[in-house]
Amino acid sequence: MNLYNKLSLAWSYFVKHIRRFAFLLVALGLGFGVITIMTSLSQGMTKNLYSAALNHYGGELFIIGYDQDHRNRMHMNQIPRIEAILEQWDYPMVQLIPRINYFGDGKLYFAGNSVGQKNVLGINWEDEAFNLNDLNILEGSLEDIREPQSIVISSQTAQQLKCRLGDDIILRVDTLQGQANTGHFIVRAIFKDPGLLGSYKSFIDLGEFQGLLNYGPEDISSLGIRFKKPPEVEELFKLYQILQEALPMAPFMETKEQLTHNIERQSWSGIRYFLIPLSLYVSQVDDLLKSMDILAYFLYLMISLIILVSIAVTYRLVIKDRTHEIGTMRALGMQKKDLTSLLLWESLFLFILSLFLGAVFAGIVLFILSRIPFSTIPGFELFMKKGRLIPQFSFFSSLMNIMLLLIITLPAVYFPARRASVMDLPHSLSGDN
Amino acid sequence: MKYKLIGIFFFLILFSLFSQDNREILQQVDSLASYMDHDFAAEYTIIEDKASGERSKTVAAVFRRDSLEKYVIIVLEPDISKGQGYLKVEGTLWFYDPESRRYNYTSSSDRFQNTNARNSDFTRSTLSQDYDVVNRQQVQLGVYPCQLLTLEANNNDVTYPKMKIWVDENYLVRKTEDYSLSGQLLRTTAFPSYQQVQGRYLPRQLLMVDALSRERSQITISRVNFNDLPDSTFSKQFLETVSR
């Protein structure tokens, strides 16, 4: 029997018995749908977390100066030299992002109310469009931020200050030398506080912040770098070695503990430069994600087992119901091999239709989930984009999901099909199992 | 030309007399608030009225040796901060946390225990060293006839780059206003009453108002004495011992 005949015969049998296959279709479809939902959400959450961290820290790799002559403040002033070193490094970069990160001591005031800011970020509005566009703007717009004295604050800050869009608020900081200074800023936009990485964060223009802190035009806190493909440790170490020849560098660090130790427990005079990859900053959240992954894989395994058992049991029952029909086919001269292959082709149609139904089911569920605001769950904003869960699909993970389902389905189908094909003809014809 | 030169000459003499006079006023103020020949010990009680209506109380023991620019502050209240301490030696200000048993650098411009007071408020007065008088006028402040001096910092090491101080006829400071570099009023402090201990004047009470948050603090200075303290008072060991 040629392939075309086998396929058309298998299709006609599949259509004929589709009511028998209904439960299998639902079980396989649901299984594929649930696995697709889990993997796409997990990937989407990971991507959103990484993107939130990238926006928060301003790059995928940072050169940060810690100035112990000025209260260990994040401060550096060798931008042209570092830029020359980065050219020498010759690794493809997308963008350099100079920033001032005033950490911990900035305070905003309005009409007698005050709110301390964890991070006041001085940024180039143009350079950080990627970051600002990811903010979940609740009021105002980013079109006006290029006006002088603009500030973008979080909803939590606005709520505590009892200020609104267009209000003139005061930012109090200490200059590099430690003198008190204040600046008036107009609230141009209010964004939804993204939890862990965004609580009490505000943005102002880099140049205006330099003036307020008594910084020179080349004084910043950090130089962030964005890449198409972040460098591996070997490449980072190569950059570190070039930097070390030109600047007073802190040791090369690979863990968060080393970073904390070097910043807080070591002493030096003047500015010491730190080379810090984003992965070091997010290592703790990364651990959380890894734990979530382990939980997801466990659920994945459980679902796979349920599908395997459901298919094995249901398919056996389907085959049992068709024993007489299988016997008739054998009596009409169909070979055992051809019969097994016919039953497997039937299962393939079942499998493909299940994938389609599963994909539709996953699509509907993901659409509904992406419309539900989960921002009320504390800290969950970190895994969302603009307050919404965004699923992420990749060719590799979709292929993996299909392969997994195929691996589960094949043995569950093959053995009952094989058994039915090799059964004695008299038994088959009598419908005996 | 001759008259011009004479005019400039007289202007310079008057200007130098004015500067000299102003510096002397600041030196007098400093000398009253600095104790170069004796150590100083007192208890400071800070009552803080937050904008939210909350009231907090902080009590601290302060020990100073102005001649060597050393001081120690130990927090006695509230219980949660009890045993925390500050030590200024060799130009460095350390903060000690008895819970972690660790020292961290801090700055004299930082807030003291999250109150309106700054760490620098507990040290000796150095107005004549750190500030230049840019304006002076005779004013009446309540019942006190005062000189109102407008000051600008001559170095970057002070917390407030601009100040206004009201000094009475006895060179006692009656009021100060602290301004940011951009000229924003940040804090007003009133000195309504002074006490005399062992022949020296020092405030009995200070009232501070944060101009931006409108939080108010009342600092009362009590149990003052000028007896010599052991050298070991100004050491990390002392902080650790009394914090236990």
Side-chain angles (χ1 to χ4, degrees), chain B residues 101-120:
Chain B
R101 295 187 181 179
R102 275 179 57 186
Y103 288 90
N104 286 314
Y105 295 110
T106 184
S107 162
S108 46
S109 60
D110 284 348
R111 278 169 164 243
F112 174 74
Q113 294 287 306
N114 210 24
T115 65
N116 281 330
R118 302 269 154 180
N119 295 332
S120 55

Side-chain angles (χ1 to χ4, degrees), chain A residues 371-387:
Chain A
R371 290 290 175 279
I372 299 172
F374 290 98
S375 45
T376 44
I377 304 172
F380 202 59
E381 283 270 358
L382 201 60
F383 302 104
M384 296 189 287
K385 189 170 187 178
K386 299 192 175 184

Side-chain angles (χ1 to χ4, degrees), chain B residues 10-71:
Chain B
F10 274 108
F11 173 77
L12 287 174
I13 287 177
L14 280 172
F15 181 75
S16 98
L17 281 174
F18 171 81
S19 306
Q20 189 66 27
D21 206 14
N22 290 335
R23 182 121 344 251
E24 272 171 20
I25 294 173
L26 290 183
Q27 281 168 350
Q28 288 285 355
V29 169
D30 285 344
S31 69
L32 284 172
S34 305
Y35 318 112
M36 305 302 278
D37 48 352
H38 288 288
D39 291 337
F40 165 84
E43 189 173 283
Y44 283 58
T45 304
I46 306 169
I47 306 288
E48 184 94 350
D49 287 312
K50 302 275 180 198
S52 58
E54 283 172 57
R55 172 169 274 210
S56 68
K57 182 183 174 188
T58 306
V59 182
V62 177
F63 305 96
R64 278 166 48 183
R65 181 168 286 172
D66 290 348
S67 58
L68 296 174
E69 299 202 353
K70 292 177 176 182
Y71 68 85

Side-chain angles (χ1 to χ4, degrees), chain A residues 68 71 105 107 109 111-114 170 172 174-175 177-184 212 214 264-265 267, chain B residues 51 102 105 107 109-111 118 153 155-161 180-182 184 186 210 212-215:
Chain A
Q68 285 211 344
R71 299 193 285 167
D105 296 329
K107 208 164 187 182
Y109 296 88
N113 301 309
S114 62
I170 296 172
R172 179 182 170 155
D174 286 342
T175 63
Q177 296 78 15
Q179 295 182 316
N181 204 5
T182 48
H184 286 258
L212 199 62
N214 226 4
E264 292 178 4
R265 310 243 179 105
S267 59
Chain B
R102 275 179 57 186
Y105 295 110
S107 162
S109 60
D110 284 348
R111 278 169 164 243
R118 302 269 154 180
N155 62 65
N156 290 326
D157 297 330
V158 292
T159 311
Y160 300 106
S180 72
L181 196 60
S182 62
Q184 171 81 44
L186 297 176
D210 186 313
L212 298 177
S213 69
R214 297 172 197 168
E215 285 172 3

Side-chain angles (χ1 to χ4, degrees), chain B residues 9-220:
Chain B
F9 178 71
F10 274 108
F11 173 77
L12 287 174
I13 287 177
L14 280 172
F15 181 75
S16 98
L17 281 174
F18 171 81
S19 306
Q20 189 66 27
D21 206 14
N22 290 335
R23 182 121 344 251
E24 272 171 20
I25 294 173
L26 290 183
Q27 281 168 350
Q28 288 285 355
V29 169
D30 285 344
S31 69
L32 284 172
S34 305
Y35 318 112
M36 305 302 278
D37 48 352
H38 288 288
D39 291 337
F40 165 84
E43 189 173 283
Y44 283 58
T45 304
I46 306 169
I47 306 288
E48 184 94 350
D49 287 312
K50 302 275 180 198
S52 58
E54 283 172 57
R55 172 169 274 210
S56 68
K57 182 183 174 188
T58 306
V59 182
V62 177
F63 305 96
R64 278 166 48 183
R65 181 168 286 172
D66 290 348
S67 58
L68 296 174
E69 299 202 353
K70 292 177 176 182
Y71 68 85
V72 166
I73 305 172
I74 296 155
V75 179
L76 307 172
E77 280 184 50
D79 282 344
I80 196 164
S81 310
K82 193 174 180 176
Q84 290 179 354
Y86 298 79
L87 170 67
K88 169 92 182 278
V89 278
E90 291 161 3
T92 307
L93 181 59
W94 297 96
F95 171 72
Y96 176 69
D97 180 15
E99 230 167 80
S100 63
R101 295 187 181 179
R102 275 179 57 186
Y103 288 90
N104 286 314
Y105 295 110
T106 184
S107 162
S108 46
S109 60
D110 284 348
R111 278 169 164 243
F112 174 74
Q113 294 287 306
N114 210 24
T115 65
N116 281 330
R118 302 269 154 180
N119 295 332
S120 55
D121 292 328
F122 299 92
T123 59
R124 75 184 181 94
S125 172
T126 54
L127 291 172
S128 61
Q129 283 174 35
D130 295 328
Y131 291 91
D132 294 327
V133 179
V134 293
N135 192 27
R136 189 179 98 199
Q137 59 189 118
Q138 185 71 37
V139 293
Q140 187 72 23
L141 181 70
V143 294
Y144 304 105
C146 287
Q147 300 278 348
L148 167 57
L149 305 177
T150 305
L151 312 179
E152 274 185 15
N154 53 32
N155 62 65
N156 290 326
D157 297 330
V158 292
T159 311
Y160 300 106
K162 293 171 187 172
M163 280 182 83
K164 280 184 182 175
I165 64 167
W166 283 253
V167 182
D168 73 8
E169 290 163 324
N170 299 314
Y171 298 106
L172 297 174
V173 177
R174 291 292 172 182
K175 181 183 168 186
T176 63
E177 285 181 353
D178 305 315
Y179 292 84
S180 72
L181 196 60
S182 62
Q184 171 81 44
L185 175 63
L186 297 176
R187 188 176 74 163
T188 303
T189 309
F191 301 76
S193 61
Y194 277 81
Q195 56 190 318
Q196 207 175 2
V197 180
Q198 293 171 249
R200 294 164 190 280
Y201 284 100
L202 76 158
R204 187 187 304 280
Q205 220 173 43
L206 290 82
L207 300 170
M208 287 177 177
V209 180
D210 186 313
L212 298 177
S213 69
R214 297 172 197 168
E215 285 172 3
R216 290 160 189 273
S217 303
Q218 177 186 303
I219 304 178
T220 309

